[in-house]
Amino acid sequence: MRIKWLAFGVAAGVLFVFERLHPLRTRKDPGPARVGRNIAIGLLGAATTAASELPIVAPAQCLAERRRLGLLRWTPVRRLPRALRVVLGFVLLDYTLYLWHWLNHRVPGLWRFHAVHHVDLDLDSTTGLRFHFGELALAAGFRAAQVLLLGVDRDTLSAWQQTLLLSVVFHHSNLELPIEAERALQYVFVTPRMHGIHHSSNGEEMNTNYSSVLSWWDRVHGSLHLDTPQSAVTIGVDGFSDPERVTLVRSLALPFETDPPRLTSG
Ligand SMILES: [Zn+2]
């Protein structure tokens, strides 16, 4: 457990340094206040995720194991070799997260929380930590549903969650990779340029590139968008370009405002 967090801390630290040495986009808010704000929101979110585990995800896992629930426990699938079932579980977790992310951009009650992530006026690895605790509490409920419907075991879920965490910090980063390397990676994984377009304040661009680890789901659903240069992307949410609207307190209060960010069409 400690080694897992140490490895994540080292990887995030290396990205944090390299995205400043080799920036992909011109920094809009390079000061420490924004980084501190994102880390504070991230710590609240991490505490919420940890607190949701015992009452929400663990009981779902126990119920699914006891009653043999979920697609991967269905007899014909159960006969497959274990390695294949692990890969299948990983891929299905990632696909269903694509659907959850899509819903977060379509359902007003979910968008109120997910918008807190999108109103960051700059985009770097710390944006990957900036998820409102309300979004992460709702996501714990969704994860319980994934466990019950897919029948993934604890080890597969844990491996996917660790991979997801690394991928989220990586694809939010402002690291400029050589274009050839990024193009090659994009066939399988979500990359910084690809996800940068998802953080555009332009509704048509924001409603693309929902994938989290594997980039395939946007290809399958026709929501892949790669041909906007990063220099043409304005990061943020329409109507929230004033730094006063995205302070720590106002970011945390954003889902409960009477005038939250509107859903974007695209
Ligand atoms: Zn999003």
Side-chain angles (χ1 to χ4, degrees):
M1 186 74 173
R2 278 196 196 133
I3 290 174
K4 180 183 92 178
W5 285 110
L6 184 67
F8 173 72
V10 169
V14 167
L15 263 178
F16 186 82
V17 171
F18 275 84
E19 69 185 348
R20 276 154 185 79
L21 295 174
H22 302 285
L24 173 61
R25 294 166 291 264
T26 307
R27 305 301 310 267
K28 279 205 298 190
D29 187 358
R34 181 187 147 272
V35 170
R37 194 159 57 232
N38 286 353
I39 290 174
I41 294 172
L43 287 173
L44 271 173
T48 305
T49 298
S52 309
E53 187 62 33
L54 213 59
I56 300 175
V57 184
Q61 192 67 263
C62 287
L63 180 68
E65 280 170 16
R66 209 171 48 240
R67 298 263 176 95
R68 300 204 152 276
L69 298 175
L71 183 71
L72 294 166
R73 293 193 177 93
W74 183 41
T75 310
V77 181
R78 220 173 54 225
R79 290 193 183 125
L80 294 171
R82 159 127 179 104
L84 200 58
R85 276 183 288 132
V86 169
V87 171
L88 200 57
F90 191 99
V91 168
L92 287 171
L93 282 166
D94 201 54
Y95 175 60
T96 45
L97 186 68
Y98 169 94
L99 300 177
W100 175 247
H101 189 188
W102 182 87
L103 278 175
N104 271 270
H105 282 265
R106 290 292 184 285
V107 178
L110 297 177
W111 170 243
R112 276 178 176 259
F113 290 98
H114 187 56
V116 176
H117 172 65
H118 276 271
V119 294
D120 198 1
L121 296 172
D122 214 341
L123 183 63
D124 65 14
S125 61
T126 68
T127 314
L129 309 174
R130 185 193 162 95
F131 290 94
H132 193 276
F133 61 85
E135 176 173 355
L136 293 174
L138 291 164
F142 176 72
R143 202 154 53 255
Q146 284 179 302
V147 163
L148 290 168
L149 289 171
L150 302 178
V152 284
D153 60 37
R154 288 162 209 262
D155 291 345
T156 307
L157 181 65
S158 170
W160 174 72
Q161 282 178 301
Q162 288 169 42
T163 310
L164 174 66
L165 196 57
L166 275 176
S167 175
V168 165
V169 175
F170 167 67
H171 67 233
H172 283 96
S173 79
N174 194 30
L175 177 66
E176 184 181 35
L177 294 172
I179 189 71
E180 300 79 15
E182 179 137 352
R183 280 194 188 128
L185 268 177
Q186 258 161 13
Y187 283 107
V188 181
F189 298 109
V190 179
T191 60
R193 283 179 176 91
M194 178 179 168
H195 199 71
I197 296 171
H198 178 68
H199 275 262
S200 168
S201 61
N202 175 315
E204 276 186 28
E205 290 166 355
M206 186 189 282
N207 287 309
T208 63
N209 301 352
Y210 297 106
S211 300
S212 292
V213 177
L214 301 167
S215 63
W216 306 335
W217 318 125
D218 282 298
R219 293 177 198 281
V220 168
H221 286 279
S223 53
L224 185 71
H225 181 106
L226 298 175
D227 54 5
T228 298
Q230 297 295 303
S231 56
V233 172
T234 303
I235 302 293
V237 172
D238 209 21
F240 283 77
S241 55
D242 179 0
E244 284 305 307
R245 289 205 77 178
V246 296
T247 60
L248 178 59
V249 172
R250 292 197 70 176
S251 292
L252 292 172
L254 191 68
F256 314 105
E257 277 189 15
T258 49
D259 186 22
R262 281 188 298 275
L263 279 171
T264 53
S265 57

